[in-house]
């Protein structure tokens, strides 16, 4: 009878072919866990034996070294005594030869004590010169370096050090005797004195030798006892460890035997409960076991399937390529063949399976062979129904690349396709202009959302996307890239054909209407058409230019087509240039590449000078410093900053840097002092309700005298943001600040607003002042503004006073102040006054 319970893999021999490759690693690990105490015991005992021999060898090296040292110093003293009596040069040479032995040992010891193991090469050479045995030198160095701080070796070295001073005195005495011999023959009294000193030193050295030998003997005996104790202690510890480990192994074995009895029952319960379909076959592919999940997946029971071939019940779905035998069945046959060859690494694949009820499922199949000493005998197949997972994956993949509302390609996928096309054009012989891109923006779409609601807006977007799809060719790519923005990629399309398609879309968009209740809703469309040609080589550049082209279409009155050819049109290039300035401005703010300049404002009368405070009257201006050191005028980057909303950040930078500089000047009492410093505020900043809090905070933080500050606002900005301007002027004038209305006369509606703005200075627009000597009308306007300002108790400042003649004419007209090249050119703030260089940040 076949088995109806899950098999438990077994192996009867240790050299079983496929199973061995699974079982042996576990057995090896188990063997290592069993014998590791024995291995540890052998290793520890071996290391201890080697260490003991090494230590004893080092002690033996001390003993043999001492004998050479003792012999050398004795030979030296004997030779020196003979030299003192006879004056024989050969005796003197023998003295040095004998003394060289202990002195070499002494220098080696001092070097090791001072430098440690780093001095081993030099110390080994010195010890070799001290007649120490070459094979014992390393042990001698090792013991000296690593055990010098122990009691035993420390005392041994201390006794060795006792001989240092007598040896040095002996060497000094030899030098004195030699020097006296060279001057005159010694007298008997001198000889007697020398012999006495030599004898005394010999006695000291002998005493040091005896002390060293005693400590050496005591140390050797103590170390011998210590090594015996360590060996015995480690042996006892390892024996205890071995006994404890054996006891733990016995307990572990008993627990394993108890747990093994539950394996079969647990395996049956687990396989029946899990959601994976598990099927076991023999080597021929006949079913031996299958769990409940496998019965549900295949649509048959185990009793119906047992002993039959598994491949007969694995049917490919009708949509799968090939016949039944060439589909799922063929794959199962391949899996069985792999299992028979003992390929233990699981393989996984996903295929479509049709069960007995003809339900199509996507199944992931994995298999593992089971074998014994003969070969593979069984195979376990695990089938996991991944139909729902695969459906989710396909849905997520679609959602990642498509817009949910319209079903069109989304921005991410459109950019990817555009990037692929741009990359292909770099490597193909495609003629320039063979591709184009459209960027479409619905006109007045916000009105539909605001008046009819977002549901109506969504309906309009779906209607527009359907219209766009009808207007395109096969192979063109339509994408929704924003709220009411679409993009179209036209491949292999001349620019003239692209213009024709764009006009067709524009005309068709006028006929798109949706009925929303009683209302009929429609929306125009602005189209930016861009030819994909140099220098547009990146996705970012193409989309940026296409967006600008769409903006250009709106600027021309909406419901228009703006066709941009990079080789002809220059208007988009201007937009691109402005965007480049935007990036430069942001980089300058982040990297500190802005700096401050200042231009003098000259009083044209004594009264005006006193009103200004009697000191320097200046206007602070901003400049941009390029990496090469060139200075850029604000005329080049301020328009881009105003257009793209960067002026509030620029204004705040100017205020912070100016107040920081003024605070430094006021604290250090720099001369000449600044009595009036004008700072420009843009219209965008003037409309910011948080500007007042910022200015008050900066003034308080830097401790600047508010009476030295004068904020300049243009008449256009003041009129546009009149409530904010009035609130700002009144609040800061209460602190003591002054205000100046800049570019007065450039507008036509500001005269009636002056009475509402209590400014202190009225700056006449420079365009009027510049040619007042040649244009009587301009001169009359300057005179009229001057009288108006004085009537309102304001002081007047004339800009663009570029020549001395203009300055004198202004003085004659009663203008209070002049500003221009005839008065002073803008200079770095640090050059205008004695201010720190920190106002120009690099």
């Amino acid at each position: 009878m076949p088995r109806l319970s899950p098999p438990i893999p077994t192996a009867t021999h240790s050299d079983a072919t496929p199973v061995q490759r699974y079982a042996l690693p576990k057995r090896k690990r188990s063997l290592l866990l069993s014998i590791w105490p024995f291995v540890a015991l052998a290793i520890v005992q071996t290391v201890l034996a080697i260490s003991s021999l090494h230590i004893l060898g080092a002690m033996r090296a001390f003993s043999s070294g001492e004998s050479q040292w003792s012999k050398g110093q004795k030979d030296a003293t004997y030779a020196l005594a003979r030299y003192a009596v006879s004056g024989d040069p050969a005796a003197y040479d023998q003295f040095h030869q004998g003394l060289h032995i202990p002195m070499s040992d002494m220098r080696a010891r001092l070097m090791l004590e001072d430098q440690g193991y780093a001095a081993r090469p030099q110390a080994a050479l010195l010890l070799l010169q001290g007649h120490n045995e070459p094979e014992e030198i390393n042990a001698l160095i090792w013991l000296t370096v690593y055990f010098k701080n122990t009691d035993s070796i420390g005392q041994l070295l201390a006794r060795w050090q006792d001989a240092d001073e007598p040896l040095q005195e002996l060497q000094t005495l030899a030098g004195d005797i030699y020097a006296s011999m060279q001057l005159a023959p010694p007298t008997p009294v001198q000889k007697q004195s020398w012999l006495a000193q030599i004898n005394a030193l010999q006695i000291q050295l002998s005493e040091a030798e005896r002390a060293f030998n005693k400590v050496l003997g005591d140390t050797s005996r103590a170390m011998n006892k210590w090594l015996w104790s360590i060996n015995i202690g480690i042996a006892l510890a390892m024996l205890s460890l071995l006994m404890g480990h054996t006891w733990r192994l016995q307990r572990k074995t008993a627990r394993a035997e108890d747990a093994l009895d539950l394996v079969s029952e647990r395996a049956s319960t687990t396989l029946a409960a899990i959601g994976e379909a598990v099927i076991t076959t023999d080597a021929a592919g006949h079913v031996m076991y299958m769990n409940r999940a496998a019965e549900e997946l295949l649509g048959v029971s185990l009793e119906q399937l047992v002993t039959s071939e598994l491949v007969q019940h694995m049917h490919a779905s009708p949509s799968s390529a090939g016949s039944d035998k060439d589909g799922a069945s063929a794959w199962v046959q391949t899996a069985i063949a792999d299992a028979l060859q003992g390929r233990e690494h699981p393989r996984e694949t996903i295929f479509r399976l049709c069960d007995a009820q003809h339900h199509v499922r996507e199944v992931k199949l994995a298999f593992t062979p089971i074998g014994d000493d003969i070969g593979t005998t069984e195979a376990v197949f695990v089938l996991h129904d991944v139909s729902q997972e695969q459906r989710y994956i396909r849905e997520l993949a679609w959602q990642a690349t498509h817009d949910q509302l319209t079903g069109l390609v989304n921005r991410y996928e459109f950019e990817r396709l555009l990037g692929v096309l741009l990359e292909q054009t770099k490597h193909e012989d495609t003629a320039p202009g063979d591709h184009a891109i459209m960027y479409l923006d619905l006109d007045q779409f916000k009105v539909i959302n605001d008046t009819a609601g977002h549901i109506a807006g969504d309906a309009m977007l779906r209607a527009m996307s359907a219209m766009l799809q009808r207007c395109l060719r096969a192979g063109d790519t339509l994408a929704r890239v924003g709220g009411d923005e679409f993009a179209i990629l036209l491949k292999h399309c001349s620019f003239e054909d692209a213009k024709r398609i764009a006009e067709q879309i524009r005309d068709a968009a006028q006929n798109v209407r949706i009925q929303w209740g009683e209302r009929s809703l429609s929306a125009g469309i602005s189209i930016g058409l861009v030819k994909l040609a140099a220098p547009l080589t990146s996705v970012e550049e193409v989309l940026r230019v296409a967006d600008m082209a769409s903006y250009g279409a709106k600027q021309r009155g909406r419901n228009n087509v703006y066709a941009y050819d990079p080789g002809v049109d220059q208007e988009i290039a201007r937009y691109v240039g402005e965007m480049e300035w935007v990036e430069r401005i942001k980089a300058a703010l982040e990297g500190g590449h802005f700096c401050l300049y200042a231009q003098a404002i000259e009083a044209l009368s004594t009264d005006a000078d006193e009103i200004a405070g009697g000191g320097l009257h200046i206007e602070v201006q901003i400049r941009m410093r390029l990496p090469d050191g060139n200075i850029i005028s604000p005329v080049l980057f301020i328009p881009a900053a105003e257009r793209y909303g960067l002026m509030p950040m620029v204004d705040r930078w100017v205020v912070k840097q100016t107040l920081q500089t003024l605070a430094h000047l006021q604290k250090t009492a720099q001369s000449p002092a600044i009595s009036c410093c004008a700072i420009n505020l843009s219209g965008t900043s003037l409309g910011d309700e948080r500007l007042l809090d910022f200015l008050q905070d900066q003034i308080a933080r830097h401790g600047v005298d508010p009476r030295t500050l004068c904020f300049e606002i243009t008449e256009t900005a003041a009129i546009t943001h009149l409530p904010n301007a009035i609130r700002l002027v009144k609040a800061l004038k209460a602190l003591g600040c002054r205000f100046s209305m800049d570019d007065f006369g450039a507008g036509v509606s500001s005269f009636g607003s002056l009475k509402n703005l209590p400014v202190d200075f009225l700056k006449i627009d420079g365009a009027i002042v510049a040619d007042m000597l040649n244009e009587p009308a301009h001169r009359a306007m300057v005179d009229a503004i001057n009288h108006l300002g004085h009537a309102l108790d304001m002081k007047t400042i004339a800009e663009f006073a570029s020549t001395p003649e203009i300055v004198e004419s202004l003085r004659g007209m009663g203008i209070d102040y002049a500003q221009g090249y005839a008065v002073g050119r803008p200079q770095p703030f640090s050059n205008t006054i004695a201010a720190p260089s920190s106002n120009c940040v690099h």
Side-chain angles (χ1 to χ4, degrees):
M1 289 297 293
R3 288 183 293 173
L4 300 182
S5 60
I8 301 176
T10 59
T12 58
H13 299 282
S14 60
D15 56 348
T17 307
V19 179
Q20 185 180 21
R21 283 173 285 183
Y22 288 94
L24 274 182
K26 296 182 179 179
R27 292 181 178 178
K28 289 180 179 179
R29 288 194 297 269
S30 178
L31 179 62
L32 289 176
L33 291 174
S34 301
I35 68 172
W36 74 262
F38 302 96
V39 175
L41 176 61
I43 292 174
V44 171
Q45 291 290 355
T46 302
V47 171
L48 184 60
I50 293 173
S51 300
S52 301
L53 292 175
H54 201 59
I55 293 173
L56 293 176
M59 296 302 298
R60 189 168 56 251
F62 265 107
S63 178
S64 61
E66 185 277 332
S67 65
Q68 293 294 333
W69 172 81
S70 176
K71 182 179 180 302
Q73 64 88 10
K74 289 178 181 179
D75 291 343
T77 53
Y78 176 73
L80 184 60
R82 284 196 299 111
Y83 178 68
V85 174
S86 64
D88 184 6
Y92 189 70
D93 292 339
Q94 292 176 359
F95 162 76
H96 279 293
Q97 294 174 4
L99 187 64
H100 182 68
I101 295 174
M103 291 300 288
S104 296
D105 291 343
M106 181 184 73
R107 285 195 295 270
R109 189 200 73 242
L110 293 174
M111 191 176 295
L112 291 172
E113 290 176 348
D114 181 46
Q115 302 178 27
Y117 206 73
R120 190 193 66 79
Q122 299 90 338
L125 183 60
L126 289 172
L127 291 172
L128 192 62
Q129 293 174 0
H131 292 187
N132 290 277
E133 292 296 332
E135 61 272 10
E136 295 178 348
I137 288 177
N138 287 332
L140 186 61
I141 293 174
W142 173 75
L143 197 61
T144 302
V145 171
Y146 294 109
F147 293 87
K148 62 183 178 182
N149 295 323
T150 62
D151 291 338
S152 300
I153 304 302
Q155 291 181 13
L156 195 62
L157 294 176
R159 301 290 74 78
W160 190 354
Q161 292 169 3
D162 291 343
D164 291 354
E165 185 176 352
L167 284 174
Q168 292 171 352
E169 290 179 2
L170 186 63
Q171 189 176 34
T172 302
L173 177 61
D176 293 341
I177 294 173
Y178 180 78
S180 298
M181 288 282 193
Q182 299 303 313
L183 294 175
T187 64
V189 176
Q190 283 182 312
K191 293 180 179 180
Q192 195 65 29
S193 174
W194 290 341
L195 291 174
Q197 294 180 55
I198 292 171
N199 186 54
L201 292 174
Q202 172 62 29
I203 292 173
Q204 294 183 34
L205 291 171
S206 297
E207 292 176 352
E209 176 188 350
R210 286 192 295 273
F212 181 84
N213 285 329
K214 183 179 182 307
V215 173
L216 180 61
D218 295 341
T219 301
S220 298
R221 288 187 292 273
M223 192 165 294
N224 191 36
K225 293 180 180 179
W226 179 73
L227 290 175
W228 268 103
S229 301
I230 292 295
N231 275 279
I232 293 174
I234 290 180
L236 292 175
M238 293 305 297
L239 182 59
S240 300
L241 178 63
L242 181 60
M243 293 176 63
H245 185 69
T246 303
W247 177 74
R248 285 195 299 272
L249 284 177
Q250 290 176 345
R251 291 191 59 190
K252 184 177 180 181
T253 302
R255 288 195 300 269
E257 291 175 351
D258 294 339
L260 189 60
D261 297 336
L262 302 176
V263 170
S264 181
E265 181 180 355
R266 287 181 178 177
S268 300
T269 305
T270 302
L271 290 175
I274 64 175
E276 309 289 341
V278 180
I279 303 174
T280 303
T281 69
D282 59 16
H286 297 103
V287 177
M288 300 171 59
Y289 169 81
M290 58 191 298
N291 65 353
R292 188 177 305 163
E295 293 178 345
E296 295 176 355
L297 180 64
L298 298 180
V300 292
S301 65
L302 176 59
E303 288 75 12
Q304 294 173 315
L305 196 62
V306 70
T307 71
S308 62
E309 293 187 9
L310 177 62
V311 294
Q312 296 177 356
H313 301 274
M314 302 285 282
H315 303 285
S317 67
S319 59
S320 299
S323 63
D324 183 26
K325 288 294 181 182
D326 294 332
S329 300
W331 203 95
V332 175
Q333 289 176 338
T334 302
I336 294 175
D338 289 341
L340 291 173
Q341 295 175 12
R343 298 177 184 175
E344 70 278 5
H345 298 289
R347 289 178 52 192
E348 292 188 355
T349 188
I350 297 176
F351 63 96
R352 298 170 66 84
L353 179 68
C354 186
D355 62 16
Q357 286 75 35
H358 304 289
H359 298 148
V360 178
R361 308 198 186 178
E362 291 181 276
V363 178
K364 179 184 291 186
L365 184 146
F367 65 90
T368 303
I370 301 175
D372 54 17
D373 56 336
I374 300 174
T376 303
T377 59
E378 299 174 2
V380 176
F381 294 89
V382 179
L383 296 90
H384 176 53
D385 187 354
V386 293
S387 303
Q388 189 172 10
E389 296 174 11
Q390 292 298 306
R391 184 169 61 254
Y392 287 159
I393 291 173
R394 286 191 291 269
E395 290 177 358
L396 290 174
W398 188 90
Q399 293 174 7
T401 56
H402 289 76
D403 174 54
Q404 295 291 320
L405 178 64
T406 62
L408 301 177
V409 171
N410 61 14
R411 186 182 189 93
Y412 170 80
E413 181 65 9
F414 183 81
E415 290 181 357
R416 188 188 68 81
L417 295 174
L418 177 59
V420 171
L421 179 61
L422 293 176
E423 190 64 27
Q424 289 176 350
T425 56
K426 295 179 183 178
H427 306 289
E428 297 178 357
D429 296 331
T430 306
D434 279 352
H435 311 296
I437 182 175
M438 288 187 203
Y439 207 88
L440 306 92
D441 193 349
L442 300 188
D443 297 328
Q444 305 298 335
F445 180 72
K446 186 175 185 300
V447 175
I448 296 177
N449 274 337
D450 293 343
T451 58
H454 289 280
I455 298 178
D458 291 345
M460 177 59 71
L461 289 173
R462 284 192 290 268
M464 280 291 183
S465 65
M467 178 274 297
L468 292 172
Q469 287 174 312
R470 290 192 298 270
C471 292
L472 296 182
R473 309 168 305 162
D476 293 338
T477 301
L478 172 64
R480 183 188 178 201
V481 294
D484 61 342
E485 298 171 347
F486 297 87
I488 301 173
L489 185 60
L490 303 172
K491 295 182 181 179
H492 307 295
C493 181
S494 68
F495 202 50
E496 292 303 321
D497 290 341
K499 291 179 182 178
R500 178 180 53 79
I501 295 173
E503 289 295 339
Q504 290 177 356
I505 292 174
R506 185 185 65 83
D507 292 339
Q510 297 178 9
N511 299 323
V512 176
R513 295 181 178 276
I514 61 171
Q515 198 66 30
W516 199 256
E518 297 179 356
R519 299 174 57 186
S520 178
L521 303 178
S522 63
I525 193 166
S526 296
I527 303 175
L529 174 63
V530 177
K531 181 167 69 173
L532 297 183
L536 303 179
T537 58
S538 69
V539 174
E540 292 76 12
E541 291 174 351
V542 171
L543 292 179
R544 181 175 63 177
V545 170
D547 187 29
M548 290 178 180
S550 173
Y551 178 76
K554 285 186 177 294
Q555 292 292 95
R556 293 187 173 186
R558 304 181 187 275
N559 197 30
N560 263 299
V561 175
Y562 187 106
Y564 173 63
D565 185 344
V568 179
D569 199 346
Q570 297 299 320
E571 185 172 351
I572 297 296
R574 178 175 64 83
Y575 290 132
V576 174
E578 286 186 350
M579 291 303 296
E580 291 177 352
W581 275 115
V582 168
E583 296 302 321
R584 287 188 181 183
I585 293 169
K586 291 180 179 178
L589 287 169
E590 295 173 359
H593 299 303
F594 280 128
C595 58
L596 297 181
Y597 271 55
Q599 186 175 24
I601 300 176
E602 181 178 317
L604 300 181
S605 65
T606 305
D607 293 341
D609 188 41
E610 292 177 356
I611 291 173
L616 289 177
H617 187 180
I618 63 171
E619 177 188 354
V620 174
Q621 302 168 355
I622 190 171
R623 299 287 190 272
M624 183 185 292
R625 186 184 300 275
L626 296 181
D628 59 4
N630 290 328
I631 301 299
I632 299 299
S633 169
V635 176
L636 298 177
F637 59 84
I638 288 299
E642 290 177 340
R643 179 186 292 270
Y644 295 100
L646 298 179
M647 280 309 298
M649 291 188 290
V650 174
D651 287 345
R652 279 164 166 73
W653 186 91
V654 172
V655 169
K656 288 181 181 179
Q657 294 299 321
T658 302
L659 295 184
Q660 178 181 344
T661 302
L662 292 176
H664 177 80
L665 294 175
Q666 292 177 4
K667 290 178 181 178
T668 56
Q670 297 276 351
S671 180
I674 296 177
S675 57
C676 187
C677 179
I679 304 174
N680 288 280
L681 296 176
S682 66
T684 310
S685 294
L686 201 62
D688 185 359
E689 296 184 355
R690 297 170 297 179
L691 177 63
L692 177 59
D693 294 335
F694 170 77
L695 294 175
Q696 290 173 336
D697 174 71
Q698 291 297 312
I699 293 172
R701 179 174 300 180
H702 291 92
V704 175
D705 185 357
R707 293 172 298 179
T708 63
L709 300 179
C710 178
F711 294 101
E712 289 192 5
I713 56 177
T714 64
E715 63 162 329
T716 304
I719 294 170
T720 304
H721 308 283
L722 190 60
N724 271 359
I726 295 174
R727 182 173 66 92
L728 181 72
V729 171
K730 290 183 178 180
L732 292 181
K733 283 182 70 69
L735 294 177
C737 300
R738 288 177 279 190
F739 277 83
S740 174
M741 181 169 286
D742 197 8
D743 295 338
F744 192 81
V748 295
S749 60
S750 56
F751 290 93
S753 304
L754 279 177
K755 60 183 179 179
N756 297 321
L757 285 171
V759 299
D760 302 277
F761 301 99
L762 206 59
K763 295 190 77 170
I764 305 171
D765 183 53
I768 304 174
V769 177
D771 58 352
M772 59 176 284
L773 299 183
N774 302 321
E775 292 287 342
H778 286 186
R779 180 182 178 89
M781 290 179 64
V782 172
D783 190 50
I785 294 173
N786 183 50
H787 282 89
L788 175 65
H790 288 169
L792 295 175
D793 198 22
M794 301 175 186
K795 297 300 177 183
T796 54
I797 303 173
E799 297 180 298
F800 287 20
S802 56
T803 65
E805 291 78 12
I806 293 178
V807 173
E808 290 306 317
S809 179
L810 293 172
R811 194 191 309 274
M813 296 172 64
I815 302 294
D816 298 301
Y817 303 92
Q819 181 180 359
Y821 284 0
V823 174
R825 291 177 177 270
Q827 299 180 11
F829 206 166
S830 56
N831 295 345
T832 305
I833 53 173
S837 61
S838 62
N839 57 63
C840 185
V841 181
H842 300 283

